[in-house]
DNA sequence: GACGGCTAGTTTCCTTGTCAACAAGGAGGA
DNA sequence: TCCTCCTTGTTGACAAGGAAACTAGCCGTC
């Protein structure tokens, strides 16, 4: 064979386990949300707007780690579902703001409950101390590398 | 406002931090791979085939957590790049097997080095004990929930 | 040996994201 | 004022994966 000696296996990387678990958590959550006719990205946007002042799309793009183009289309879909409103900024002719409709506001707590269930179900085997330790470690990585804006996919 | 009391924030969920870090690790790795003209999914397939017997696409689909359709197209792309060979099974007229070309074999260690660098750079702030703890916790989640087949995206 | 059902891979269509081009509006300087 | 440059949001072309239809080949049963 034309190979060097075998390199480190995928499973030797922390990144592998992170992604394995993370993807499964997301996939399971997506299945739950599916029953409510909502995607994960839509949930994130709804959550981002819930209980907050109306936000311009560009701000959401930053916070959600997506491009403005993606936000624009995502907003369109939520608009079609009647969960979101798009309002022109009276002061700046270019700007718009996005906010939840009443239906959107009502829906969020339901979805949040699904998120809680998903979280609980997945990490049930871990003790509180373990969860704390993992979260603390991840927070340190985030802080140290200045990570910001969750890429939705 | 028409809301319940505010639900738990996204950042109160372990899943949030998992995905935030995981996505950034993947994105950073993708940028590194980009210099080699390879995507993350392609890397995973190459890695999966490296130093192993030729595998049928269906087997890769299981191991990589993708559909057979996706594997089919992914294999096409790697074929075009000359990194992979598709061979008809002489015993079973339906079956094929995928294996690395010499070029593919040669490339994998280079990519593996990039993966190692990425891993090291991201988790440099964590002590060995912390990394161990996180990995152990994640492994327990995986074992307990019977997670298998890393969904590539 | 032919037929109904299975299995392996591929292909088609749909979704959802990125990137780049674009239109429209604002802001500042000559 | 008018010109230039920047910013905001949208749109169109493309990429990549999932679901399901489709093709081809196997296999057990009659």
């Amino acid at each position: 064979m034309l190979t060097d000696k075998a390199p480190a296996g995928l499973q030797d990387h922390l990144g592998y386990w992170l992604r394995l678990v993370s993807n499964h958590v997301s996939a399971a959550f997506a299945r739950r949300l599916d029953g409510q006719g909502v995607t994960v990205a839509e949930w994130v946007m709804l959550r981002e707007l819930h209980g907050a002042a109306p936000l311009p799309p560009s701000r959401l793009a930053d916070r959600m780690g997506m491009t403005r183009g993606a936000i624009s289309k995502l907003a369109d879909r939520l608009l079609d579902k009647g969960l979101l409103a798009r309002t022109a900024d009276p002061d700046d002719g270019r700007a718009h703001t996005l906010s939840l409709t009443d239906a959107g506001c009502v829906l969020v707590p339901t979805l949040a409950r699904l998120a809680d269930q998903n979280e609980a179900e997945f990490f049930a085997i871990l003790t509180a101390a373990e969860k704390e330790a993992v979260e603390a470690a991840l927070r340190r990585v985030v802080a140290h590398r200045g990570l910001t804006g969750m890429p939705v996919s």
Side-chain angles (χ1 to χ4, degrees), chain A:
Chain A
M1 246 196 286
L2 211 78
T3 77
D4 277 4
K5 75 174 197 301
L10 291 174
Q11 328 90 306
D12 296 334
H13 285 174
L14 200 46
Y16 170 86
W17 296 102
L18 232 48
R19 193 156 108 212
L20 178 56
V21 174
S22 166
N23 284 348
H24 277 283
V25 170
S26 289
F29 186 40
R31 276 192 295 277
R32 283 177 196 265
L33 285 178
D34 201 43
Q36 305 284 325
V38 170
T39 69
V40 173
E42 287 166 5
W43 148 251
V44 174
M45 182 176 274
L46 293 175
R47 182 64 192 75
E48 213 54 73
L49 289 170
H50 183 251
L55 287 177
S58 49
R59 195 129 183 57
L60 276 168
D62 289 343
R63 300 182 51 126
M64 295 179 60
M66 294 169 64
T67 61
R68 286 170 311 170
I71 295 292
S72 189
K73 296 172 208 175
L74 185 47
D76 284 344
R77 283 181 308 234
L78 285 171
L79 220 103
D80 287 345
K81 295 184 186 176
L83 300 174
L84 195 118
R86 187 186 262 136
T87 315
D89 183 326
D91 297 341
D92 184 338
R94 301 164 293 179
H96 289 234
T97 61
L98 300 174
S99 53
L100 297 186
T101 61
D102 287 353
C105 260
V106 167
L107 183 57
V108 167
T110 303
L111 304 181
R113 217 161 305 130
L114 294 181
D116 290 342
Q117 286 171 15
N118 198 58
E119 169 90 2
E121 186 179 310
F122 251 92
F123 300 113
I125 351 84
L126 300 183
T127 66
E130 281 174 319
K131 290 188 228 177
E132 291 268 334
V134 172
E135 183 176 323
L138 294 177
R139 275 181 188 269
R140 282 184 56 207
V141 171
V142 169
H144 183 255
R145 299 200 48 86
L147 303 185
T148 174
M150 155 102 73
V152 159
S153 71

